[in-house]
Amino acid sequence: MKTDASIASGTAEREISQQQLNAVRFQHPQIQIRTLSGDKAYGTPAYLAYLISQGIIPLIA
């Protein structure tokens, strides 16, 4: 639903992803995000904990 560019820092993908999820929830409150898929770069404990705390089921390889 949205794209962003960022400087590769090793954490940028996850940081931008959180910002995008928050933006979608703000702009489209009727949409319920239930799952999120991503490659193994998204499988960090902190990011997975964030998704779970938001009620989102992570589908990470």
Side-chain angles (χ1 to χ4, degrees):
M1 295 180 76
K2 186 174 185 231
T3 60
D4 286 303
S6 62
I7 296 172
S9 66
T11 62
E13 291 173 325
R14 294 181 298 279
E15 292 167 0
I16 295 295
S17 173
Q18 289 178 0
Q19 292 172 12
Q20 290 174 336
L21 287 169
N22 291 333
V24 167
R25 286 183 164 165
F26 180 76
Q27 295 170 356
H28 307 281
Q30 71 280 12
I31 295 176
Q32 289 187 326
I33 301 170
R34 295 185 179 153
T35 61
L36 186 134
S37 61
D39 61 25
K40 65 181 180 179
Y42 291 88
T44 64
Y47 188 73
L48 295 175
Y50 166 77
L51 292 177
I52 292 166
S53 75
Q54 298 297 307
I56 300 171
I57 298 169
L59 305 172
I60 309 295

